[in-house]
Structures are given as structure tokens and as C-alpha cells.
């Protein structure tokens, strides 16, 4: 819009102010809890819902791709569409995770009901496997989750402030993962996972399926990138 001096500029300013008032409550209406749960389902839906993995491989998984005989892998949304939601156009463009399948990012900003319909259709085959609440969380994640991570990952490396990340780590993560990132259970050290910054962003923003781990999604996503930068810079990888 062209802004001229005088009244039209004032009208334009007033219009912008009205828009920002309208925009604020809309941003809050987005349910970050539902989006985060959708993110955990996208990671490993059958663990999040407490089911067994299907016994037969997913019909849409290419027969020649690496995990064709592993239904526990090839039924995960992330296995076909990537942690970055970009499928064959993103981090899975080559290597053992390559399937040639497109991402989910084309439906970002769209209608969650359209995603639900797609997941219930015979090709995806989630009708009967996931509840309406699960499907709704997945729909919210696909349309409103921020999973491209362009602002936080550059050349396959996390972009963040390790000093601030250390503050986040010691207040939010260390209680469960320990000062060195080697706890709990028999998980690999957190610092051994930093070559996959998209997966780490996904886990930190959405939590770990079926675990009490918090999701940082409601905070500025830079806090998640900062904590990963700290893990990469300061914690031992073995
Ligand atoms: C075995 C592989 C596979 C799995 C698992 C899978 N999908 Fe898909 N998905 C596909 C394929 C193939 C398409 C269709 C691509 C096309 O239309 O060419 C697709 C399309 C989509 C699209 C539409 C993308 C677009 O822009 O048109 C969305 C959204 C989507 N899937 C979400 C999911 C979600 C959420 C899950 C997990 C609950 C999931 N998918 C699991 C293979 C898979
Ligand atoms: C309430 C405890 C708790 C807190 C707090 C917590 N986590 Fe976790 N986290 C877990 C558990 C439990 C697992 C799963 C461990 C396993 O599978 O062996 C996990 C898994 C992970 C994983 C995935 C590891 C893998 O191999 O897949 C990452 C990454 C991670 N946490 C990072 C973090 C970061 C970073 C923070 C702080 C922002 C954090 N966690 C806070 C409990 C927690």
C-alpha cells in the first residue's frame, strides 16, 4: 500500500493498529499442546499412543528403499516426510533415508481437516489406527508446526547461542539428562546426536513420544536452537 502524507497515512496507521490487535488473539488461539502432541505422533505415533508397531510394511513405502522390510520404521510419518517436513527436497534428499516422497510442508498454513481426511484415506491407512483426537493433533502439527527450521539450521549445523543454551540446559534439561547429557536410561549421549539438528529441534520443541520430557514449543524457538548449540559445543559425545 502506498502511504501518502496526511489523512490517508493516519488511516493506514489506524488500520495497521487494528490489524495487530486482531492478530494477537489469533496467534494465541493456536494450541501449542496439541501441535506438540502432533509432533510426537509424527515422530512415532504407535509409541505415543501405546500401541504395537504394525506388522506389515506401509503400502506407500517404496520397495527399493532402505527400510522396506522394517514396518517399525516405515510406518513413522518422519520416515517418509523427514524431520524437516520437506521429504525428498530436504535432509532426506539422499542417503539411507531417501524415499523420493515429498514433504508435508506444502500443507503448512492450510486446513487441518484436509490433513485428517488425507490420513484417513486408504493410501495412508490411519483410519482405525489413530483416534479422532490423535488425527486432529497431527492435522494441527502439519498446518501450524514450524518444522522447516530454515532460521535455525544452516549447512546442516545448528545456529544458536551456546551461552544462552547453557542456561536453558542447566535449568530445563539437566535434571533428567544429567550435566553431561548421558542420562536417563541407556540413551546415546545427547552430544552424539548433533549431526541431525532437524531431529533435535523436533524432539526439543515437541518432546519425546510417551516420555515426561517437556516440549519447548510455547517459547521462542531460538531457545531450542540455543540449547542444541550448547550440547554441540560443550557436552561430550561419548
Ligand atoms: C510410507 C510412507 C508414508 C508415511 C508413513 C506417511 N506418509 Fe504422508 N504421504 C506419503 C505419500 C507417498 C504421499 C503422497 C505424495 C503425493 O501426493 O505424491 C503423502 C502425502 C502426505 C501429505 C500431503 C503433502 C502434500 O503437500 O500434498 C501430508 C500432509 C502427509 N502425507 C502427512 C503424513 C502424516 C502426518 C503421516 C503420519 C501420521 C504420514 N503422512 C505418513 C507417504 C507417507
Ligand atoms: C522429565 C525428564 C526430561 C527432561 C526435563 C528433558 N528430557 Fe529429554 N528425554 C527424556 C527421556 C526419558 C527421553 C527418552 C530416553 C530414552 O529413550 O532412552 C528423552 C529423550 C531426549 C532426546 C532424544 C534422544 C534419542 O536418542 O532419541 C533428546 C534429543 C532430548 N531428550 C533432549 C532434551 C533437551 C535438550 C532437554 C531440555 C530442553 C530435555 N531433553 C529435557 C526426559 C527428559
Amino acid at each position: 500500500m502506498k502511504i501518502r502524507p496526511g489523512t490517508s497515512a493516519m488511516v493506514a496507521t489506524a488500520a495497521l493498529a487494528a490489524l495487530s490487535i486482531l492478530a494477537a488473539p489469533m496467534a494465541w488461539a493456536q494450541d501449542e499442546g496439541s501441535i506438540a502432541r502432533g509432533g510426537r505422533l509424527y515422530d512415532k505415533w504407535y509409541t505415543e499412543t501405546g500401541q504395537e508397531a504394525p506388522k506389515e510394511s506401509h503400502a506407500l513405502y517404496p520397495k527399493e528403499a532402505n527400510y522396506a522390510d522394517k514396518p517399525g520404521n516405515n510406518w513413522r510419518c518422519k520416515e517418509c516426510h523427514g524431520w524437516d517436513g520437506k521429504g525428498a527436497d530436504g535432509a532426506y534428499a539422499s542417503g539411507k533415508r531417501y524415499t523420493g516422497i515429498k514433504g508435508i510442508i506444502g500443507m503448512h498454513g492450510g486446513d487441518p481437516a484436509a490433513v485428517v481426511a488425507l490420513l484417513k484415506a486408504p493410501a495412508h491407512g490411519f483410519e482405525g489406527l489413530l483416534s479422532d483426537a490423535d488425527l486432529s493433533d497431527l492435522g494441527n502439527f502439519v498446518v501450524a508446526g514450524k518444522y522447516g527450521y530454515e532460521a535455525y539450521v544452516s549447512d546442516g549445523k545448528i545456529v544458536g547461542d551456546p551461552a544462552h543454551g547453557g542456561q536453558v540446559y542447566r535449568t530445563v534439561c539437566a535434571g533428567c539428562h544429567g550435566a553431561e547429557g548421558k542420562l536417563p536410561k541407556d540413551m546415546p549421549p545427547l552430544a552424539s546426536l548433533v549431526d541431525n539438528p532437524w531431529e533435535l529441534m523436533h524432539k526439543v520443541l515437541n518432546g519425546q513420544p510417551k516420555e515426561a520430557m517437556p516440549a519447548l514449543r510455547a517459547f521462542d524457538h531460538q531457545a531450542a536452537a540455543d540449547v542444541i548449540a550448547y550440547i554441540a559445543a560443550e557436552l561430550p559425545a561419548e
Side-chain angles (χ1 to χ4, degrees), residues 8-136:
S8 52
M10 285 165 62
V11 170
T13 312
L16 281 175
L19 267 179
S20 60
I21 290 168
L22 281 174
M26 278 170 68
W28 283 107
Q30 184 169 299
D31 181 351
E32 301 294 342
S34 167
I35 298 171
R37 182 153 185 285
R40 295 194 297 278
L41 292 163
Y42 184 84
D43 178 338
K44 216 181 214 184
W45 57 269
Y46 55 86
T47 299
E48 178 68 15
T49 60
Q51 300 175 64
E52 297 280 317
K55 299 277 182 285
E56 304 287 329
S57 285
H58 197 290
L60 292 177
Y61 195 84
K63 300 280 172 285
E64 67 284 4
N66 202 42
Y67 296 95
D69 60 352
K70 295 204 163 52
N73 289 78
N74 65 43
W75 270 89
R76 294 169 71 182
C77 315
K78 81 93 206 165
E79 196 62 59
C80 292
H81 298 299
W83 293 111
D84 56 9
K86 294 179 179 172
D89 295 324
Y92 288 178
S94 61
K96 65 178 181 174
R97 305 268 176 199
Y98 175 78
T99 60
I101 296 170
K102 70 160 140 173
I104 56 168
I105 210 154
M107 290 189 93
H108 196 264
D111 177 6
V115 178
V116 171
L118 192 70
L119 296 177
K120 283 177 144 178
H124 270 105
F126 287 101
E127 172 96 81
L129 286 176
L130 292 173
S131 70
D132 287 347
D134 299 333
L135 290 164
S136 161

Side-chain angles (χ1 to χ4, degrees), residues 28 32 146 151-152 159 164 168 201 204-205 215-227:
W28 283 107
E32 301 294 342
K146 294 222 175 46
Y152 312 103
V159 180
H164 177 242
V168 177
M201 282 297 285
V204 175
L205 291 176
L216 299 198
R217 169 165 293 288
F219 303 107
D220 182 345
H221 291 7
Q222 190 60 52
D226 290 349
V227 79

